[in-house]
Amino acid sequence: MIKKIAFLIVLASLVLAACSPAAPATEAAGSAKVFGQADCAPNCTYKEMTLCYPQLGAESDWRTANSASFKETASKLGVKLIFSDAQQKQENQISAIRSCIQQGVDVIALPPVVEPGWDAVLQEAKDANIPVIVVDRSVSADPSLYSAHIGSDMEIEGKRSAEEFNKLLPNGGNILELSGTTGSGAAVGRAKGFREALNPNIKILDSQTGNFTRAEGKPVMEAFLKKYAGQIDGVFFHNDDMAIGAVEAIKAAGIQPGELKMVSIDGTRGGFQLMIDGWLQADVECNPLLGPQVMDLALKLMNGQPIEKEALTDEGVFYPDKAAELLPTRQY
Ligand code: AHR
């Protein structure tokens, strides 16, 4: 009799098990969690997120706006932000990333100062199950070492700048290039796109870095003006801060607004003012307000949701005719 009852209990439990709904794939697979998924998944909220942002520096107005976007978005959403300023030095960014790994952050968002040299530290983050979102500039590391890239298409920005010169100098001419930080994704991409789209009758006489800063842009322009006096028709700037520094040198040389055709990149308030004052004929947009988009993606990673590997910002070109009207509405 006891044997009969035991048999019936086993049979009933087998029938019940067969009829109950299947467990979710992640549970059935035991420890097979999606890479980067947090313990709170799939219900993590911003309040549970610790985000590391090893900012590359404070070299430009664009960068200041980018840092502000991360700080303001984090405080609005309740994200704990670990922010640092690497002063344009890759070794400082790498140390900041290592410190974030030790602290066990949920996600690292990295705006890389230059393209090469990230493989080892990205591998360390990966080994610690911390996803990395590459922000703004690109890296040359293997894409399997980071989860996503969010930022501008630097080659398109260079191409757009060249198209402006093609219109400004239809009969050709000689131009100079003040390029961004050597080896940075922004400088490499802009230089490449620019050369690919520039009409062959426009010659780049020289290209020197101004490291994306006003302070370095001015002496580079002074040297250019001495070396190429009387031979220049235009100047291409990889960012507005270098254009602002260079305009000081151009003014000091007695050159009037409009004498040289000039195109820059960023679309900051400073760039808009240069357009209003007649120095710049076009400013190609590069949007620094990436905080909300990056934090949205970081939350998806924590929750183990699918994400896009590459998210490029939609941007355009600004011209002097609308500059005065738009300046008061500019956020950076
Ligand atoms: O990577 C974006 C570039 O970096 C911006 O054009 C420049 O202003 C900044 O310093």
Side-chain angles (χ1 to χ4, degrees):
M1 183 63 179
I2 292 175
K3 266 192 185 165
K4 223 179 191 180
I5 292 170
F7 172 75
L8 283 173
I9 290 171
V10 170
L11 192 69
S13 56
L14 282 175
V15 170
L16 273 174
C19 295
S20 61
T26 46
E27 262 179 49
S31 62
K33 270 182 30 175
V34 177
F35 171 74
Q37 188 177 304
D39 290 341
C40 48
N43 298 313
C44 302
T45 67
Y46 285 119
K47 300 211 170 11
E48 280 142 309
M49 182 190 295
T50 301
L51 179 74
C52 173
Y53 198 53
Q55 178 59 286
L56 70 87
E59 74 285 1
S60 63
D61 287 352
W62 188 101
R63 191 64 53 196
T64 305
N66 180 256
S67 296
S69 171
F70 275 78
K71 289 177 184 172
E72 284 160 16
T73 309
S75 96
K76 196 172 122 202
L77 299 175
V79 168
K80 184 175 175 219
L81 185 70
I82 300 184
F83 183 94
S84 48
D85 175 348
Q87 301 178 338
Q88 296 234 67
K89 291 195 176 80
Q90 185 178 34
E91 61 268 31
N92 292 347
Q93 281 195 294
I94 291 176
S95 310
I97 294 171
R98 290 200 168 121
S99 153
C100 284
I101 294 173
Q102 272 184 352
Q103 292 173 68
V105 300
D106 296 299
V107 179
I108 296 168
L110 167 67
V113 62
V114 289
E115 281 190 318
W118 299 103
D119 300 63
V121 77
L122 289 178
Q123 186 64 56
E124 288 166 36
K126 194 171 183 182
D127 293 345
N129 191 41
I130 300 175
V132 175
I133 304 171
V134 177
V135 178
D136 162 31
R137 305 175 185 176
S138 48
V139 291
S140 55
D142 191 292
S144 66
L145 292 174
Y146 56 89
S147 295
H149 172 230
I150 292 183
S152 303
D153 188 326
M154 306 298 184
E155 277 188 46
I156 286 195
E157 290 175 354
K159 184 171 172 274
R160 288 191 178 130
S161 307
E163 283 161 358
E164 295 306 323
F165 276 106
N166 296 344
K167 288 188 268 173
L168 290 163
L169 299 170
N171 301 317
N174 294 326
I175 63 169
L176 297 164
E177 179 181 48
L178 257 95
S179 132
T181 303
T182 306
S184 68
V188 172
R190 287 168 186 174
K192 182 169 183 278
F194 189 71
R195 281 155 182 76
E196 280 170 7
L198 196 67
N199 280 346
N201 61 2
I202 303 176
K203 194 173 165 214
I204 305 170
L205 287 185
D206 206 341
S207 174
Q208 296 291 331
T209 181
N211 209 15
F212 283 129
T213 67
R214 293 179 193 199
E216 289 173 72
K218 187 177 173 187
V220 172
M221 194 69 227
E222 281 167 352
F224 272 165
L225 290 169
K226 262 192 204 144
K227 193 166 172 193
Y228 300 102
Q231 300 174 55
I232 321 162
D233 300 299
V235 191
F236 169 41
F237 302 99
H238 280 205
N239 85 341
D240 288 349
D241 283 79
M242 291 190 296
I244 292 166
V247 163
E248 284 181 29
I250 292 169
K251 272 187 201 166
I255 296 168
Q256 298 302 308
E259 271 185 53
L260 296 176
K261 304 300 174 204
M262 304 209 273
V263 175
S264 178
I265 298 181
D266 275 354
T268 57
R269 287 196 199 106
F272 270 65
Q273 194 57 54
L274 288 184
M275 287 199 281
I276 293 167
D277 297 340
W279 294 106
L280 273 191
Q281 279 70 50
D283 203 353
V284 174
E285 184 182 14
C286 181
N287 189 345
L289 309 178
L290 302 172
Q293 210 185 338
V294 169
M295 287 178 213
D296 174 66
L297 196 122
L299 190 63
K300 287 196 171 105
L301 286 166
M302 284 176 70
N303 278 321
Q305 290 171 1
I307 52 144
E308 298 272 331
K309 183 89 185 180
E310 182 88 15
L312 296 175
T313 318
D314 199 17
E315 294 161 338
V317 183
F318 301 109
Y319 297 99
D321 60 339
K322 293 262 164 48
E325 182 192 327
L326 291 176
L327 180 60
T329 68
R330 301 296 296 155
Q331 289 180 62
Y332 54 92

